Amino acid sequence: MAASLPKTMKGVSISKNGGVDVLEYKTDMPVPTPKEGEVLVRNDIAGINYIDTYFRTGLYPCPSFPYTLGREAAGTLIAHGPGSYPSSLKQDSHVVFLATGAYAEYSAVSSIHTYALPGKVSSETAAASLLQGLTAITLIREAHHVESGDWVLVHAAAGGMGLWLCQLLKATGAHVIGTASTSEKRELASKAGAEVTLEYPESMGEDKFVAKVKELTGGQGVPVVFDGVGKKTFDTSLECVRRKGSMVSFGNASGAVDPFTISRLSGKNVKLMRPTLFNYIATREEFERYTTELFALVEQGKVDVTVHKTYDLNAVAQAHQDLEGRKTSGKLLLKV
């Protein structure tokens, strides 16, 4: 099988950090060779995530240049590197993975974070589900264990991550307060499970926003805030957390959170977290357990996987612009 592989492939990489102009669509990138513990996947569909823009801009440092963007894709397993592998990862199996280098026709990725898909799950659904779905599950289970009846504040509730959180929190029995920038987006959040939808604090007024959250929660505030917006919402989010609650900051859509004095947490004994998905799924057992649960929910129809748009690989710059401009609701995909 490996002998029939092409030597070059299409892909998107960057040679320096910057705006969308640094994204380079190439047709002569070398096809990677899987190392020990890796598998080679011919990608069909890659997912686009905010973390891709963080590496592009330099908010997160790239390990080296040129650097191929992308953190998830679905396709066909076509070769194994040396070593042993999970028995489910067979030649020609339909798989999805979490790894760097997904904006390309082929990716050599760790078998630890590669999963053989159930028959009913398409490449599109898998690539639209994996990173955000696993992030949402681990946030509500491990970053802060949400209980039935809890009030939870979710920022950017109509975005890809927000829609996942709304659906999973509703299934848990929680009451969701979701923020979004437009009435259309707030309606999407409501359909996904947000019981109450609000404008962002900067639009509504921070004092009015906090007062509304306190009113909904009997004056206490929420047990947890899931904040993927970052700089613009952090301070208001902290004000909305109740005594002994959790502030979970998991994204920087509006920019990185400014440094702050840690003693601010002592006023209500607030727990502050900045979790990353990969520290919850570092082992094969953790990854397989949560991924199996995720696709069971998908197959059972308990979550609706919302795709905003699928872009051609050479239109990646437009995709990044749309994502950063808050012009999207749901997942963005790249047809590889």
Side-chain angles (χ1 to χ4, degrees):
M1 177 66 71
S4 65
L5 288 174
K7 293 182 178 180
T8 60
M9 65 178 183
K10 300 173 186 176
V12 175
S13 65
I14 60 172
S15 298
K16 61 181 179 180
N17 296 122
V20 296
D21 56 302
V22 303
L23 293 164
E24 300 177 273
Y25 171 73
K26 298 180 178 181
T27 59
D28 59 351
M29 295 173 64
V31 173
T33 300
K35 301 174 184 176
E36 184 169 358
E38 292 184 338
V39 294
L40 185 66
V41 180
R42 184 174 61 237
N43 300 324
D44 297 324
I45 294 285
I48 301 173
N49 296 282
Y50 247 106
I51 194 171
D52 303 340
T53 71
Y54 300 161
F55 280 102
R56 191 203 75 222
T57 62
L59 180 62
Y60 290 178
C62 297
S64 62
F65 292 110
Y67 181 76
T68 304
L69 294 173
R71 308 287 287 190
E72 65 183 337
T76 304
L77 193 160
I78 58 171
H80 297 80
S84 59
Y85 298 86
S87 60
S88 60
L89 299 181
K90 303 181 188 304
Q91 187 88 13
D92 297 324
S93 57
H94 186 208
V95 298
V96 65
F97 66 81
L98 287 178
T100 57
Y103 287 12
E105 286 186 285
Y106 295 88
S107 299
V109 298
S110 170
S111 62
I112 291 175
H113 293 124
T114 303
Y115 186 85
L117 287 168
K120 294 181 181 179
V121 179
S122 67
S123 291
E124 289 78 7
T125 297
S129 304
L130 191 62
L131 192 147
Q132 291 178 339
L134 289 180
T135 300
I137 287 177
T138 54
L139 284 177
I140 70 172
R141 297 285 173 74
E142 300 213 35
H144 179 97
H145 189 80
V146 177
E147 304 282 357
S148 178
D150 283 348
W151 280 92
V152 179
L153 174 58
V154 176
H155 284 300
M161 268 301 305
L163 292 172
W164 273 102
L165 282 168
C166 286
Q167 292 182 89
L168 292 174
L169 287 166
K170 181 180 179 181
T172 302
H175 306 289
V176 180
I177 305 168
T179 64
S181 58
T182 67
S183 58
E184 291 80 11
K185 287 189 175 184
R186 290 191 288 276
E187 178 63 24
L188 283 174
S190 294
K191 289 179 179 178
E195 201 165 308
V196 178
T197 58
L198 302 173
E199 296 178 83
Y200 283 110
E202 63 179 336
S203 300
M204 186 174 174
E206 292 184 6
D207 291 343
K208 187 177 179 181
F209 184 93
V210 173
K212 183 61 177 178
V213 172
K214 294 284 183 71
E215 175 191 329
L216 290 165
T217 57
Q220 296 185 53
V222 292
V224 60
V225 178
F226 292 114
D227 189 341
V229 174
K231 183 181 179 72
K232 289 186 177 180
T233 52
F234 181 83
D235 288 332
T236 309
S237 294
L238 205 56
E239 288 296 315
C240 291
V241 179
R242 77 178 187 191
R243 183 177 64 89
K244 299 194 293 183
S246 300
M247 171 66 195
V248 181
S249 177
F250 67 91
N252 310 287
S254 66
V257 174
D258 291 329
F260 79 109
T261 304
I262 197 170
S263 60
R264 287 177 58 188
L265 303 175
S266 65
K268 295 184 288 185
N269 284 7
V270 171
K271 296 180 285 291
L272 173 63
M273 289 196 68
R274 183 57 172 87
T276 60
L277 169 61
F278 282 88
N279 282 323
Y280 291 131
I281 56 168
T283 68
R284 176 68 188 184
E285 186 277 330
E286 289 171 327
F287 173 73
E288 198 162 49
R289 171 162 50 91
Y290 280 125
T291 305
T292 298
E293 179 182 355
L294 171 66
F295 287 121
L297 290 169
V298 171
E299 285 193 295
Q300 293 163 14
K302 292 184 178 180
V303 291
D304 180 29
V305 182
T306 303
V307 175
H308 174 79
K309 185 176 179 179
T310 300
Y311 300 77
D312 289 334
L313 189 60
N314 60 6
V316 64
Q318 185 62 55
H320 276 221
Q321 284 181 325
D322 291 348
L323 183 63
E324 292 175 294
R326 296 187 184 180
K327 296 179 180 179
T328 66
S329 296
K331 186 73 174 184
L332 278 62
L333 298 174
L334 284 175
K335 186 176 181 180
V336 180

